[in-house]
Amino acid sequence: ARRLAAKLEVDITKVSATGPGGRVVESDVRAFIENSEGTVNTLSGTPEPSETIPMEGIRKSIADHMIGSLANSAQLSFFLELDVTEAQRMRRIESDKGGVTIGIGHVLMKACAEALSRNPRLNSVLHGGNILHYEQVNIGMAVALKDGLIVPVIRGVEGKSIRELVDESTTLASKARDSTLSLNEVAGGTFTVSVLGSVDGFTPILNAGQSAILGVGRSVEKPVVRD
């Protein structure tokens, strides 16, 4: 029992004894390992956890989805800095004019739809051994939740105005946080935009099957050299 406990890095003093004279036997160690509540406390050298949270539900689904995406596709990231001075100016003017808040993410979502219409190979999904190209641009927008992340989809972005994108994305984000999204509202994406405005850059993971994803960092003022 001691050899098995040492091999499995189990603290034998925590194992319930069922052997003669109150001794721990090998089957006790195995039973301890098989007990899901016992295994979380067997990390060698770590203190007792203050809380134990099962990896289940949306967290497990996200983890499985991301691991599957990384395992089944060769992913490569490009990092670019873009001058968005004019985009920010236009965004502020349109926001003041219409009384709605247009974010840089809405502007970039529309820009992506224009770019994807010109480069349809990026607006594609791998399915059943075939690469499916689309003329319609369905953009998934990553929405952070308390316990994870979900990606509702805006369909036909190429034919919608930025104001329409603001309205639809606001509605979808609200439904995502209220857990009222329908299956149809999280399916059918051909491209994804993920905005993480607190960092300069990051490496987003492809939505399984899609050919590309855009990760957007923060927009900051900085000195530049021209000519």
Side-chain angles (χ1 to χ4, degrees), residues 140-198:
M141 56 173 215
V143 176
L145 304 176
K146 181 181 177 181
D147 292 324
L149 187 80
I150 196 165
V151 186
V153 175
I154 299 178
R155 300 173 185 276
V157 177
E158 76 285 354
K160 293 179 178 176
S161 68
I162 292 179
R163 288 179 180 276
E164 288 175 314
L165 296 180
V166 172
D167 291 341
E168 194 164 342
S169 63
T170 300
T171 299
L172 288 172
S174 178
K175 293 176 74 172
R177 296 185 181 106
D178 292 338
S179 301
T180 58
L181 286 168
S182 68
L183 183 60
N184 188 55
E185 288 171 326
V186 294
T190 61
F191 185 82
T192 300
V193 174
S194 181
V195 180
L196 192 58
S198 58

Coordinates of all heavy atoms in Angstrom, one line a residue, residues 140-198:
G140 N -19.1 35.6 -36.4 CA -19.3 35.3 -35.0 C -18.6 36.4 -34.1 O -17.5 36.8 -34.4
M141 N -19.2 36.9 -33.1 CA -18.6 37.9 -32.2 C -18.5 37.3 -30.8 O -19.5 36.8 -30.2 CB -19.4 39.1 -32.2 CG -20.9 39.0 -31.8 SD -21.7 40.6 -31.5 CE -22.8 40.2 -30.2
A142 N -17.3 37.2 -30.3 CA -17.0 36.6 -29.0 C -17.6 37.5 -27.9 O -17.3 38.7 -27.9 CB -15.5 36.4 -28.8
V143 N -18.4 36.9 -27.0 CA -19.0 37.6 -25.9 C -18.5 36.9 -24.6 O -18.7 35.7 -24.4 CB -20.5 37.6 -26.0 CG1 -21.1 38.3 -24.7 CG2 -21.0 38.3 -27.2
A144 N -17.9 37.7 -23.7 CA -17.4 37.2 -22.4 C -18.6 37.0 -21.5 O -19.4 37.9 -21.3 CB -16.4 38.1 -21.8
L145 N -18.6 35.9 -20.8 CA -19.6 35.6 -19.8 C -18.9 35.4 -18.4 O -17.7 35.3 -18.4 CB -20.4 34.3 -20.1 CG -21.1 34.3 -21.5 CD1 -21.8 33.0 -21.7 CD2 -22.1 35.4 -21.6
K146 N -19.7 35.3 -17.4 CA -19.1 35.1 -16.1 C -18.3 33.9 -16.0 O -17.2 33.8 -15.4 CB -20.2 35.1 -15.0 CG -19.7 34.9 -13.6 CD -20.8 34.8 -12.6 CE -20.3 34.6 -11.2 NZ -21.4 34.5 -10.2
D147 N -18.8 32.8 -16.6 CA -18.1 31.5 -16.5 C -17.4 31.0 -17.8 O -17.1 29.9 -18.0 CB -19.1 30.4 -16.1 CG -19.6 30.6 -14.7 OD1 -18.8 31.0 -13.8 OD2 -20.8 30.4 -14.4
G148 N -17.3 31.9 -18.8 CA -16.7 31.5 -20.0 C -16.9 32.5 -21.2 O -16.9 33.7 -21.0
L149 N -17.1 31.9 -22.3 CA -17.1 32.7 -23.6 C -18.1 32.0 -24.5 O -18.2 30.8 -24.6 CB -15.8 32.7 -24.2 CG -15.6 33.6 -25.4 CD1 -15.4 35.1 -25.0 CD2 -14.3 33.2 -26.2
I150 N -18.9 32.8 -25.2 CA -19.8 32.3 -26.2 C -19.7 33.2 -27.5 O -19.4 34.3 -27.4 CB -21.3 32.2 -25.7 CG1 -22.1 31.3 -26.5 CG2 -21.9 33.6 -25.5 CD1 -23.4 30.8 -25.9
V151 N -20.1 32.6 -28.6 CA -19.9 33.3 -29.9 C -21.2 33.3 -30.7 O -21.4 32.5 -31.6 CB -18.8 32.7 -30.8 CG1 -18.5 33.5 -32.0 CG2 -17.5 32.5 -29.9
P152 N -22.1 34.3 -30.4 CA -23.3 34.4 -31.3 C -22.9 34.9 -32.6 O -21.8 35.5 -32.8 CB -24.1 35.4 -30.5 CG -23.2 36.1 -29.6 CD -22.1 35.2 -29.3
V153 N -23.8 34.7 -33.6 CA -23.4 34.9 -35.0 C -24.4 36.0 -35.6 O -25.6 35.9 -35.5 CB -23.5 33.6 -35.8 CG1 -23.3 33.9 -37.3 CG2 -22.5 32.6 -35.3
I154 N -23.8 37.0 -36.3 CA -24.6 37.9 -37.1 C -24.5 37.5 -38.5 O -23.4 37.4 -39.1 CB -24.0 39.4 -36.9 CG1 -24.1 39.8 -35.4 CG2 -24.8 40.3 -37.8 CD1 -23.6 41.2 -35.1
R155 N -25.6 37.3 -39.2 CA -25.7 36.8 -40.5 C -25.8 37.9 -41.5 O -26.4 38.9 -41.3 CB -26.9 35.8 -40.7 CG -26.8 34.6 -39.7 CD -28.1 33.8 -39.8 NE -28.0 32.7 -38.8 CZ -27.4 31.6 -38.9 NH1 -26.8 31.3 -40.1 NH2 -27.3 30.7 -38.0
G156 N -25.1 37.6 -42.7 CA -25.2 38.6 -43.8 C -24.7 40.0 -43.5 O -25.3 41.0 -43.8
V157 N -23.5 40.0 -42.8 CA -22.9 41.3 -42.4 C -22.6 42.2 -43.6 O -22.7 43.4 -43.5 CB -21.7 41.0 -41.5 CG1 -21.0 42.4 -41.2 CG2 -22.0 40.2 -40.3
E158 N -22.3 41.5 -44.7 CA -21.9 42.3 -45.9 C -23.0 43.2 -46.4 O -22.8 44.3 -47.0 CB -21.4 41.4 -47.1 CG -22.5 40.7 -47.8 CD -23.2 39.5 -47.1 OE1 -22.7 39.2 -46.0 OE2 -24.1 38.9 -47.6
G159 N -24.3 42.9 -46.1 CA -25.4 43.7 -46.5 C -26.0 44.6 -45.5 O -27.1 45.2 -45.7
K160 N -25.4 44.7 -44.3 CA -25.9 45.5 -43.2 C -25.1 46.7 -42.9 O -23.9 46.7 -43.1 CB -26.0 44.6 -41.9 CG -27.0 43.5 -42.1 CD -27.1 42.6 -40.8 CE -28.2 41.5 -41.0 NZ -28.2 40.6 -39.9
S161 N -25.8 47.8 -42.5 CA -25.1 49.0 -42.1 C -24.4 48.8 -40.7 O -24.8 47.9 -40.0 CB -26.0 50.2 -42.1 OG -27.0 50.0 -41.0
I162 N -23.5 49.7 -40.4 CA -22.9 49.7 -39.1 C -23.9 49.8 -38.0 O -23.9 49.2 -36.9 CB -21.8 50.7 -38.9 CG1 -20.6 50.3 -39.9 CG2 -21.3 50.8 -37.5 CD1 -19.5 51.3 -39.9
R163 N -24.9 50.7 -38.2 CA -26.0 50.9 -37.2 C -26.8 49.6 -37.0 O -27.2 49.3 -35.8 CB -26.9 52.0 -37.6 CG -26.3 53.4 -37.5 CD -27.3 54.5 -38.0 NE -26.6 55.8 -37.9 CZ -26.6 56.5 -36.8 NH1 -27.2 56.0 -35.7 NH2 -26.0 57.6 -36.7
E164 N -27.1 48.9 -38.0 CA -27.8 47.6 -37.9 C -26.9 46.6 -37.1 O -27.4 45.8 -36.3 CB -28.1 47.0 -39.3 CG -29.2 47.8 -40.0 CD -29.5 47.3 -41.4 OE1 -28.5 47.1 -42.1 OE2 -30.6 47.1 -41.8
L165 N -25.6 46.6 -37.3 CA -24.7 45.7 -36.6 C -24.7 46.1 -35.1 O -24.6 45.2 -34.3 CB -23.3 45.8 -37.2 CG -23.1 45.4 -38.6 CD1 -21.6 45.5 -39.1 CD2 -23.5 43.9 -38.8
V166 N -24.7 47.4 -34.8 CA -24.8 47.8 -33.4 C -26.0 47.2 -32.7 O -26.0 46.6 -31.7 CB -24.8 49.3 -33.3 CG1 -25.0 49.8 -31.8 CG2 -23.4 49.9 -33.8
D167 N -27.2 47.4 -33.4 CA -28.4 46.9 -32.8 C -28.4 45.4 -32.6 O -28.8 44.9 -31.6 CB -29.6 47.3 -33.7 CG -29.9 48.9 -33.7 OD1 -29.4 49.5 -32.8 OD2 -30.5 49.3 -34.7
E168 N -28.0 44.7 -33.7 CA -28.0 43.2 -33.6 C -27.0 42.7 -32.6 O -27.3 41.8 -31.8 CB -27.8 42.7 -35.0 CG -28.2 41.2 -35.1 CD -28.3 40.7 -36.5 OE1 -28.4 41.5 -37.4 OE2 -28.3 39.4 -36.7
S169 N -25.8 43.3 -32.6 CA -24.8 42.8 -31.6 C -25.2 43.1 -30.2 O -25.0 42.3 -29.3 CB -23.4 43.4 -32.0 OG -23.5 44.8 -31.8
T170 N -25.8 44.2 -29.9 CA -26.3 44.6 -28.6 C -27.4 43.6 -28.1 O -27.3 43.1 -27.0 CB -26.9 46.0 -28.6 OG1 -25.9 46.9 -29.0 CG2 -27.4 46.3 -27.2
T171 N -28.3 43.2 -29.0 CA -29.3 42.3 -28.7 C -28.8 40.9 -28.4 O -29.1 40.2 -27.4 CB -30.4 42.2 -29.8 OG1 -31.0 43.4 -30.1 CG2 -31.4 41.1 -29.5
L172 N -27.8 40.4 -29.3 CA -27.2 39.1 -29.1 C -26.4 39.0 -27.8 O -26.4 38.0 -27.1 CB -26.4 38.8 -30.3 CG -27.1 38.4 -31.6 CD1 -26.2 38.3 -32.8 CD2 -27.9 37.1 -31.4
A173 N -25.6 40.1 -27.5 CA -24.8 40.1 -26.3 C -25.7 40.0 -25.1 O -25.4 39.3 -24.1 CB -23.9 41.4 -26.3
S174 N -26.8 40.8 -25.1 CA -27.7 40.7 -24.0 C -28.3 39.3 -23.8 O -28.4 38.8 -22.7 CB -28.8 41.8 -24.2 OG -29.8 41.7 -23.1
K175 N -28.7 38.7 -24.9 CA -29.3 37.4 -24.8 C -28.2 36.4 -24.3 O -28.5 35.4 -23.6 CB -29.9 36.9 -26.2 CG -31.1 37.8 -26.6 CD -31.6 37.4 -28.0 CE -32.3 36.1 -28.0 NZ -32.9 35.8 -29.3
A176 N -27.0 36.6 -24.8 CA -25.9 35.7 -24.3 C -25.7 35.7 -22.8 O -25.6 34.7 -22.2 CB -24.6 36.1 -25.0
R177 N -25.8 36.9 -22.3 CA -25.6 37.1 -20.8 C -26.8 36.6 -20.0 O -26.7 36.2 -18.8 CB -25.2 38.5 -20.5 CG -23.9 39.0 -21.1 CD -23.5 40.4 -20.7 NE -22.2 40.7 -21.3 CZ -22.1 41.5 -22.4 NH1 -23.2 42.2 -22.9 NH2 -20.9 41.8 -22.9
D178 N -27.9 36.6 -20.7 CA -29.2 36.1 -20.0 C -29.4 34.6 -20.3 O -30.4 34.0 -19.9 CB -30.4 36.8 -20.5 CG -30.4 38.3 -20.0 OD1 -29.7 38.6 -19.0 OD2 -31.0 39.1 -20.7
S179 N -28.5 34.0 -21.1 CA -28.5 32.5 -21.4 C -29.8 32.2 -22.2 O -30.5 31.2 -21.9 CB -28.4 31.7 -20.2 OG -27.2 31.9 -19.5
T180 N -30.2 33.1 -23.1 CA -31.5 32.9 -23.9 C -31.2 32.8 -25.4 O -32.1 32.9 -26.2 CB -32.5 34.0 -23.6 OG1 -31.9 35.3 -23.9 CG2 -32.9 34.1 -22.1
L181 N -29.9 32.6 -25.8 CA -29.6 32.5 -27.2 C -30.2 31.1 -27.7 O -30.1 30.1 -27.0 CB -28.1 32.5 -27.4 CG -27.4 33.8 -27.3 CD1 -25.9 33.6 -27.2 CD2 -27.8 34.8 -28.4
S182 N -30.7 31.2 -28.9 CA -31.2 29.9 -29.5 C -30.0 29.3 -30.2 O -29.0 29.9 -30.5 CB -32.3 30.3 -30.6 OG -31.7 31.0 -31.7
L183 N -30.2 28.0 -30.6 CA -29.1 27.2 -31.2 C -28.8 27.9 -32.6 O -27.6 28.0 -33.0 CB -29.6 25.8 -31.5 CG -28.5 24.9 -32.1 CD1 -27.3 24.8 -31.2 CD2 -29.1 23.5 -32.3
N184 N -29.8 28.4 -33.3 CA -29.6 29.1 -34.5 C -28.7 30.3 -34.4 O -28.0 30.7 -35.4 CB -30.9 29.4 -35.2 CG -30.8 29.9 -36.6 OD1 -30.2 29.2 -37.5 ND2 -31.3 31.1 -36.9
E185 N -28.8 31.0 -33.3 CA -28.0 32.2 -33.1 C -26.5 32.0 -32.7 O -25.8 33.0 -32.7 CB -28.7 33.1 -32.0 CG -30.0 33.7 -32.4 CD -30.8 34.3 -31.3 OE1 -30.7 33.8 -30.1 OE2 -31.5 35.3 -31.5
V186 N -26.1 30.8 -32.5 CA -24.7 30.5 -32.2 C -24.1 29.5 -33.3 O -23.0 29.1 -33.1 CB -24.5 29.9 -30.8 CG1 -24.9 30.9 -29.7 CG2 -25.3 28.6 -30.6
A187 N -24.9 29.3 -34.3 CA -24.4 28.4 -35.4 C -24.3 29.1 -36.7 O -24.9 30.2 -36.9 CB -25.4 27.2 -35.5
G188 N -23.5 28.6 -37.6 CA -23.5 29.1 -39.0 C -22.5 30.2 -39.3 O -22.5 30.8 -40.3
G189 N -21.5 30.4 -38.3 CA -20.5 31.4 -38.5 C -19.5 31.0 -39.6 O -19.1 29.8 -39.7
T190 N -19.0 32.0 -40.4 CA -18.0 31.7 -41.4 C -16.7 32.4 -41.1 O -15.7 32.2 -41.7 CB -18.5 32.2 -42.8 OG1 -18.8 33.6 -42.8 CG2 -19.7 31.4 -43.2
F191 N -16.7 33.3 -40.1 CA -15.6 34.1 -39.7 C -15.9 34.6 -38.3 O -17.0 34.7 -37.9 CB -15.3 35.3 -40.6 CG -14.1 36.1 -40.4 CD1 -12.9 35.7 -40.8 CD2 -14.2 37.3 -39.6 CE1 -11.7 36.4 -40.6 CE2 -13.0 38.0 -39.4 CZ -11.8 37.6 -39.9
T192 N -14.8 34.9 -37.5 CA -15.1 35.4 -36.1 C -14.2 36.6 -35.8 O -13.1 36.7 -36.2 CB -14.7 34.2 -35.1 OG1 -15.5 33.1 -35.3 CG2 -14.9 34.7 -33.7
V193 N -14.8 37.5 -35.0 CA -14.1 38.7 -34.5 C -14.1 38.6 -33.0 O -15.1 38.5 -32.4 CB -14.7 40.0 -35.0 CG1 -14.0 41.2 -34.4 CG2 -14.6 40.1 -36.5
S194 N -12.9 38.7 -32.4 CA -12.8 38.7 -30.9 C -12.1 40.0 -30.5 O -10.9 40.2 -30.9 CB -12.0 37.5 -30.5 OG -11.9 37.4 -29.1
V195 N -12.8 40.8 -29.7 CA -12.2 42.1 -29.3 C -11.8 42.0 -27.8 O -12.6 41.7 -26.9 CB -13.2 43.2 -29.4 CG1 -12.6 44.6 -29.0 CG2 -13.6 43.4 -30.9
L196 N -10.5 42.2 -27.5 CA -10.0 42.2 -26.2 C -9.2 43.6 -26.0 O -8.0 43.7 -26.2 CB -9.0 41.0 -26.0 CG -8.6 40.7 -24.6 CD1 -9.8 40.4 -23.7 CD2 -7.7 39.5 -24.6
G197 N -10.0 44.6 -25.6 CA -9.5 45.9 -25.7 C -8.5 46.4 -24.6 O -8.1 47.5 -24.6
S198 N -8.1 45.5 -23.7 CA -7.2 45.8 -22.7 C -5.8 45.5 -22.9 O -4.9 45.7 -22.1 CB -7.7 45.1 -21.4 OG -7.7 43.7 -21.5

